Every structure is written in C-alpha cells, then in structure tokens.
Amino acid sequence: MKPAVTYEHIKTCKQSGARLGKVHTPHGTFETPVFMPVGTLATVKTLSPEELKEMDAGIILSNTYHLWLRPGHDIIKEAGGLHKFMNWDRAILTDSGGFQVFSLSDLRKITEEGVHFRNHMSGEKLFLSPEGAMEIQNALGSDIMMAFDECPPYPASFEYMKSSVERTSRWAERCLAAHKRPEDQALFGIVQGGEYEDLRKQSAQDLVSLDFPGYAIGGLSVGEPKDVMNRVLDFTTPWLPADKPRYLMGVGSPDSLIDGAIRGIDMFDCVLPTRIARNGTCMTSEGRLVVRNAKYARDFRPLDENCSCHVCQTYSRAYIRHLVKANETFGFRLTSYHNLHFLANLMKQVRQAIMDDRLLDFKEEFFEQYGFNKE
Ligand SMILES: CC1(C)O[C@@H]2[C@@H](CO[C@@]3(CNc4nc5cc6c(=O)[nH]c(N)nc6cc5[nH]4)OC(C)(C)O[C@@H]23)O1
Ligand SMILES: [Zn+2]
C-alpha cells in the first residue's frame, strides 16, 4: 500500500549536510526544512486560515489532548474532520497527547496500559492510552499523527529513561496495531532516550524496525541547554532513515531552527512565535523587539525594516505598542502575523542557503545580525 505521506529528497547542502526536501501529503506538499505554526485548539491563535496561506504555511499543528477535552473529537468527526471543522485544506499534524498530559496536568500516574491524570481545567479524572490516542487522531483526520509516547521529565536517571524508552517502544507497536486509516493518515514514531546516546540509538532502532513513514525526535526542548539538544541530534539523526521526514518537536527559536536544519531535521513546531507575540515581543532581523517598551512610543518605523510582511509595510511600532498596551486584540494579531511570517521567511532563506550549498555561511550572517553571537 502506498504510504499516505512520502518524503522526496531534493539535495544535501555540501557545506553543512542539511537537506532540502518535499513532503507529499493527502492535503498537499510542503518544502522542508519547514516551521509548522501551532494551532492547539483548532486555531493558530488570532489568525485566519487565509492569513496563514498568505505566508505560504503548508502545514499546521494541532493537539489530540486539547481537542479531545474541548470540543471533543466526536464533534469534530461529525463535522467531517479537523480540516473541514477549521476550514484548513492543507496539511495538519496532530501531537498525540502524551506530552501534553505531562506538561499540563497534575496527579499523573503512568502504567503499562496508559496514563491516568486529571483534566487540567475541570480536575475530572481521565485516562489516555495508545489506542485512545489513535482513535482520537483517526477521528480528527490529521494527515500526520504522532505515536503515544512518554516524554520523561528533564533530567531523568538512566534507569528511569531506559524503562521509559522500552515502554514507549511497546506503545508504538500498540499504536500501529490500533491505527485504523494508514492509507490516509501517516503515523510517525517518536524517538526518546533523553541525553543518553545508547538509549537514543535503542529507541531509534526499535522504531525503525517498525517501519514508520516518518520519525520525530521527542524529549527535547524541555529545559535542556542548547548544546545538549545539538549533541543529542548529532548522535540520533544518523540512526533515522534518510528517505523519511525527521521532525524535532517543540523547537522554534531562530538559532535552534538553523542548528536543527544543519543536523538533518526537516520539520519543526513551537508555540514560541505566537506565545511571545501575545505579550508584545517580536522576532526581527536585528533580534527580539519588545514593542511595549516606552522607547517605541514615538517610533514610527516598522517592527522590522527588513521584513516584507503586510504588518511591516503598513503599521508602525508606535501604533502596535499602543494596541498592545491597551490590550487590543488587533495588536496581538499584528505581532502574531509578523512573528510567524518571520519564521516562515527564515525557513525560506534556510532552504535557499541549502540550495546554494552555503547554510553555515548563512548561519554566521544571521547570528551576527540577530545578535546571537553576543548571547
Ligand atoms: C520552547 C517553548 C517556548 O515552547 C513551549 C515551552 C516549553 O516547551 C514546549 C515545547 N517543547 C516541546 N518538547 C516536546 C516534546 C514532545 C515529546 O517528547 N513527545 C510528544 N508527543 N510531544 C512533544 C512536544 C514537545 N514540545 O512544550 C510545551 C510545554 C508544550 O510548551 C512548549 O517553551
Ligand atoms: Zn513583518
């Protein structure tokens, strides 16, 4: 059977080893490396699908855990699936819920069967298993589904991490067995193992032996230093097949996106750009800009003088500062639009640098201008 999602390798950057590719899905093709805007509750907060198309977003992310609790996957199924429900006709990836349980709710108890926890809003006792996570994602109809995994807290002991990796591998098998629509929806495995090289290798080999159509690297962007993340990528990606997509979960700062692409990652997601936008912080080519600062009260320049987005062509820092200070929703729409456009444009520049075999040079130039080298 033809897999629902396939990876097409275009070229490898001679200077960095980064790869340029395309991912073909039942809802269209997107180029990689790609940053995926996060739409946890079936909306990329404050923005419309039309605005996301303006910035050429080819895939967005949503969450099993959140949509199961609210509005309920049965309602979304009745609506004809998540694409129809939210009027998004391009690709959707859904995370499986395991991580969200750990990052959102307390009173969690993990067993071989699955995870017992409380609804983070109502306190109601709930249970989620690999089979449950598959049923919900099959109902949502996402093009890419994630396996139900455990993302252990950082740091974790080797012993705990080893038993967790082995359970996550057993859960991955249960996910494959429970997945009802492999011809329409691709199920990606999630590699765990913390910062332990042999556990990352064991996790990757366990999952590759199950022949998933794509692989995520989980257990990162959970508070570890950036050099730890980069080291884990260096010794994990070589165990993943070159002809399948590689997805680094939860990563969205400009430096980590470039460093991840250099290490062979194709897909990224993070709430960072839209989360910081809602408190008035913007990503610009000269670094972060906190537009609510008083120094911008009479600054009539755009957020970013090097940005081609409609926000930067139309509105001033003074106006956006005024809106954000007044807690006006339009202000957060403008900062969110710009931040996502900024990352979409960054990934376009990364793809061009790979095409031109100069991603390491691009990294140097970008870091210099953005100010990372000063960090
Ligand atoms: C960077 C930034 C701003 O992103 C925020 C906040 C804290 O980090 C984030 C992002 N990091 C992140 N790591 C992940 C690991 C896994 C994983 O191992 N398995 C599965 N199924 N899903 C995952 C999703 C992940 N998201 O995770 C939450 C808690 C969702 O908020 C995000 O700091
Ligand atoms: Zn802009």
Side-chain angles (χ1 to χ4, degrees):
M1 167 195 58
K2 185 175 178 310
V5 168
T6 55
Y7 176 75
E8 179 189 350
H9 177 258
I10 305 293
K11 75 163 281 188
T12 297
C13 173
K14 291 188 180 65
Q15 189 183 61
S16 67
R19 53 207 224 140
L20 187 65
K22 287 183 179 173
V23 174
H24 302 282
T25 82
H27 283 90
T29 294
F30 55 90
E31 295 179 304
T32 59
V34 69
F35 177 79
M36 303 182 282
V38 173
T40 294
L41 282 159
T43 165
V44 176
K45 289 184 172 31
T46 78
L47 298 179
S48 69
E50 292 73 21
E51 288 171 315
L52 293 170
K53 288 187 176 178
E54 282 171 14
M55 53 181 89
D56 292 333
I59 179 166
I60 60 168
L61 189 131
S62 212
N63 267 299
T64 296
Y65 170 78
H66 295 79
L67 294 173
W68 171 43
L69 299 192
R70 191 175 42 171
H73 59 292
D74 48 333
I75 288 178
I76 295 175
K77 184 172 183 174
E78 227 174 285
L82 188 52
H83 290 86
K84 212 156 165 355
F85 189 56
M86 68 183 290
N87 180 36
W88 179 253
D89 60 3
R90 294 183 179 181
I92 297 176
L93 181 152
T94 44
D95 196 356
S96 54
F99 180 82
Q100 284 70 34
V101 166
F102 280 87
S103 63
L104 279 173
S105 54
D106 52 14
L107 196 107
R108 302 172 307 255
K109 182 164 173 286
I110 189 163
T111 65
E112 185 62 26
E113 260 315 285
V115 187
H116 299 265
F117 60 98
R118 282 191 188 282
N119 178 324
H120 70 287
M121 295 171 292
S122 68
E124 172 201 5
K125 279 191 178 163
L126 294 170
F127 173 70
L128 192 55
S129 66
E131 291 76 15
M134 293 303 104
E135 183 200 336
I136 296 165
Q137 293 180 85
N138 280 151
L140 298 176
S142 43
D143 302 282
I144 299 175
M145 301 166 41
M146 301 312 294
F148 189 72
D149 64 327
E150 182 193 359
C151 172
Y154 175 81
S157 71
F158 180 87
E159 292 65 33
Y160 183 86
M161 191 61 78
K162 183 165 175 27
S163 68
S164 173
V165 161
E166 287 161 357
R167 180 170 46 219
T168 285
S169 295
R170 291 192 296 274
W171 282 0
E173 282 191 84
R174 285 170 52 188
C175 286
L176 279 170
H179 180 18
K180 292 281 178 296
R181 298 172 50 203
E183 65 287 354
D184 300 325
Q185 298 177 264
L187 174 60
F188 281 18
I190 305 178
V191 176
Q192 293 290 350
E195 56 190 301
Y196 303 103
E197 183 166 0
D198 41 2
L199 294 184
R200 284 282 176 184
K201 177 182 171 187
Q202 179 187 337
S203 180
Q205 289 182 320
D206 289 353
L207 298 177
V208 172
S209 70
L210 296 170
D211 193 23
F212 284 96
Y215 298 89
I217 297 178
L220 291 175
S221 192
V222 286
E224 76 285 357
K226 294 209 176 190
D227 60 313
V228 170
M229 179 192 290
N230 287 335
R231 188 163 50 81
V232 170
L233 295 180
D234 284 334
F235 58 61
T236 302
T237 41
W239 295 105
L240 298 176
D243 62 344
K244 303 276 175 67
R246 297 156 181 175
Y247 163 29
L248 176 54
M249 306 185 89
V251 166
S253 59
D255 54 336
S256 298
L257 292 170
I258 295 172
D259 280 332
I262 288 168
R263 290 166 176 78
I265 299 295
D266 307 304
M267 299 162 64
F268 303 86
D269 88 280
C270 194
V271 293
L272 187 75
T274 37
R275 180 175 290 182
I276 63 173
R278 292 194 301 281
N279 66 37
T281 299
C282 300
M283 296 171 170
T284 79
S285 50
E286 317 283 321
R288 280 194 178 193
L289 184 147
V290 182
V291 77
R292 63 173 57 240
N293 283 357
K295 65 181 173 183
Y296 301 119
R298 288 180 169 75
D299 186 338
F300 300 104
R301 291 173 296 172
L303 288 173
D304 185 347
E305 300 192 277
N306 302 315
C307 181
S308 62
C309 88
H310 85 80
V311 175
C312 294
Q313 302 307 311
T314 319
Y315 301 101
S316 68
R317 293 169 180 183
Y319 176 61
I320 295 170
R321 174 181 181 273
H322 157 64
L323 294 179
V324 163
K325 295 279 284 180
N327 210 20
E328 280 292 339
T329 304
F330 188 53
F332 302 120
R333 278 178 35 75
L334 295 176
T335 53
S336 298
Y337 186 103
H338 165 78
N339 280 357
L340 284 179
H341 179 280
F342 179 85
L343 288 187
N345 186 51
L346 170 62
M347 298 318 278
K348 204 178 281 182
Q349 291 175 282
V350 164
R351 293 193 295 270
Q352 187 58 54
I354 294 169
M355 183 59 89
D356 302 341
D357 293 315
R358 60 178 306 277
L359 185 55
L360 296 181
D361 295 342
F362 173 74
K363 172 180 171 176
E364 272 309 304
E365 292 152 14
F366 183 87
F367 275 39
E368 192 54 40
Q369 191 180 18
Y370 196 89
F372 279 121
N373 298 336
K374 294 175 208 123
E375 255 180 9

